Amino acid sequence: MDPITGDYAGGSTDTLANAVYLRLMTPLGGWWADPTLGSRLHELSRSKDSSRIDLLACQYAEQALQPLLQDGRASRVQVSSQRQGPGRLLLNIEVAETGGHIRHFQHQVRIA
C-alpha cells in the first residue's frame, strides 16, 4: 500500500510503511484479527476545529503506533502536526526503525 495515496503499490516493502498506514487508517477496534490495532483519528472528523485538535491528533497517532515500539520494530516514533487550512491537518510522522533507518510518513486528518 502506498501510505500517501492508499493505493496498492504492487510490490513488497521492507519498511514499516504498511504497518504505519494500517494503524493510522483503521478505526481502533475495527480490525477483525486484532481489536487493539487502529487509531482514534477518525473521531476527529466529528470534532470542532480548534487548536486542541492538533495535540489530540498527535496523541492519537502516537498511541496507534505504540505497538511498533513494543514489538521492537521501531526504536522511536515522533509525530508533529501542521495546519493545511480550515478543517485539514497534516501529521508528519518520523519512525526510527531498529536497523537505524529513519522513515518519514505524512497522514492527512479531516476535522469538522
Side-chain angles (χ1 to χ4, degrees):
M1 304 283 292
D2 184 334
I4 296 172
T5 64
D7 294 334
Y8 179 67
S12 63
T13 180
D14 61 349
T15 67
L16 295 174
N18 286 347
V20 169
Y21 179 80
L22 284 175
R23 281 168 175 72
L24 296 177
M25 290 299 295
T26 305
L28 184 61
W31 186 262
W32 65 272
D34 184 1
T36 63
L37 186 135
S39 73
R40 296 180 61 192
L41 289 171
H42 67 281
E43 296 174 10
L44 299 179
S45 65
R46 299 182 306 239
S47 301
K48 282 189 170 184
D49 191 0
S50 66
S51 59
R52 77 179 189 96
I53 294 300
D54 297 26
L55 179 60
L56 270 179
C58 289
Q59 289 175 345
Y60 289 170
E62 288 172 354
Q63 288 172 357
L65 299 174
Q66 186 67 28
L68 299 177
L69 297 170
Q70 293 171 343
D71 64 16
R73 291 190 284 169
S75 60
R76 181 175 49 86
V77 172
Q78 187 173 1
V79 181
S80 63
S81 64
Q82 168 184 344
R83 286 291 176 148
Q84 290 197 304
R88 294 187 318 157
L89 183 68
L90 181 68
L91 295 179
N92 295 305
I93 302 161
E94 185 177 283
V95 178
E97 296 178 338
T98 53
H101 291 92
I102 296 179
R103 307 290 180 180
H104 298 275
F105 303 97
Q106 292 186 328
H107 181 74
Q108 290 190 1
V109 178
R110 289 186 179 221
I111 303 163

